[in-house]
Amino acid sequence: GQNIDQPTEMTATEGAIVQINCTYQTSGFNGLFWYQQHAGEAPTFLSYNVLDGLEEKGRFSSFLSRSKGYSYLLLKELQMKDSASYLCAVDTGGFKTIFGAGTRLFVKA
Amino acid sequence: DSGVTQTPKHLITATGQRVTLRCSPRSGDLSVYWYQQSLDQGLQFLIQYYNGEERAKGNILERFSAQQFPDLHSELNLSSLELGDSALYFCASSPPDGDRGYTFGSGTRLTVV
């Protein structure tokens, strides 16, 4: 079966660092995406990891360990506008990308 | 504006009815994906088309069907609607190399009453 697990909710303080974890068990794996989705809006692409290791893009970084079926999204210097849901998604091959239920992040002042 | 256009933005209809949701992909993208997102739930993959051909199917109900036309726009048809079909329906498109992820449209919010 296909399973992607993320925490349901997280709360962090403005200016801090937060790490959102994602574990997956899928029948195939080509790569892992992270998307940001504000309430009622479309998801927007953040990152794509194919190989193990850390990819940094400004305040956001994403890490992948294929052997452990694990990824995390690291957000630094948190801002209020980072309050959103963060979706972990696996490209399982066969033209299917499966999404996790998302982690709702609340950033407080 | 993401470049992916979905219409209508909102739709309210009664149980048992049929509706059609429309999507125009971003210029140059050949793939179109349909996802359903119910309240507080993740994105559920419905179906994917590539250049007019069906490529992959998810947990799409038999009451639902889709197609992609020669101009690459796509339509998702939902029939015999039930209350549980109320959800946000997103269309996304992607270029041939998939490492830039999907570009999503703003979605159609369907409410079945």
Side-chain angles (χ1 to χ4, degrees):
Chain A
Q2 319 273 40
N3 200 42
I4 299 176
D5 286 318
Q6 308 177 232
T8 304
E9 287 185 1
M10 298 182 71
T11 301
T13 305
E14 195 175 15
I17 299 173
V18 70
Q19 178 175 312
I20 301 174
N21 296 324
C22 169
T23 57
Y24 63 89
Q25 286 181 300
T26 55
S27 54
F29 183 89
N30 281 354
L32 188 141
F33 294 97
W34 283 97
Y35 287 83
Q36 180 191 60
Q37 185 179 25
H38 286 98
E41 297 183 10
T44 55
F45 169 78
L46 292 176
S47 66
Y48 181 58
N49 292 67
V50 176
L51 302 176
D52 286 0
L54 187 67
E55 300 255 352
E56 298 187 70
K57 200 186 285 187
R59 294 190 298 114
F60 292 15
S61 303
S62 55
F63 171 84
L64 175 67
S65 169
R66 294 180 66 146
S67 62
K68 294 182 179 173
Y70 168 69
S71 172
Y72 67 73
L73 180 69
L74 195 70
L75 291 75
K76 304 175 192 172
E77 300 168 17
L78 278 173
Q79 301 175 10
M80 299 299 288
K81 68 178 182 180
D82 297 329
S83 293
S85 288
Y86 291 86
L87 312 179
C88 172
V90 172
D91 177 356
T92 62
F95 313 107
K96 282 187 192 179
T97 293
I98 307 298
F99 283 77
T103 298
R104 197 176 300 176
L105 174 66
F106 298 95
V107 179
K108 58 182 183 179
Chain B
D1 181 7
S2 68
V4 178
T5 304
Q6 284 190 251
T7 56
K9 290 197 183 311
H10 300 277
L11 201 49
I12 301 175
T13 190
T15 55
Q17 295 299 303
R18 172 190 168 94
V19 297
T20 298
L21 313 183
R22 183 187 167 103
C23 169
S24 293
R26 199 176 54 167
S27 179
D29 288 354
L30 300 180
S31 288
V32 168
Y33 309 80
W34 286 98
Y35 283 84
Q36 178 193 57
Q37 187 174 42
S38 302
L39 193 63
D40 292 333
Q41 297 212 356
L43 288 160
Q44 301 297 316
F45 172 68
L46 296 178
I47 198 163
Q48 186 225 348
Y49 283 86
Y50 178 84
N51 204 21
E53 300 285 328
E54 182 185 303
R55 270 279 181 95
K57 230 173 187 178
N59 296 326
I60 187 167
L61 300 171
E62 284 191 14
R63 301 183 285 111
F64 295 2
S65 65
Q67 59 186 109
Q68 187 180 29
F69 295 87
D71 67 352
L72 301 178
H73 92 271
S74 178
E75 293 181 355
L76 179 67
N77 300 297
L78 315 176
S79 61
S80 302
L81 284 167
E82 302 175 359
L83 296 178
D85 297 327
S86 296
L88 259 174
Y89 290 84
F90 285 107
C91 166
S93 72
S94 70
D97 59 335
D99 63 353
R100 281 174 284 161
Y102 297 173
T103 301
F104 283 82
S106 57
T108 293
R109 183 173 294 282
L110 173 66
T111 303
V112 182
V113 297

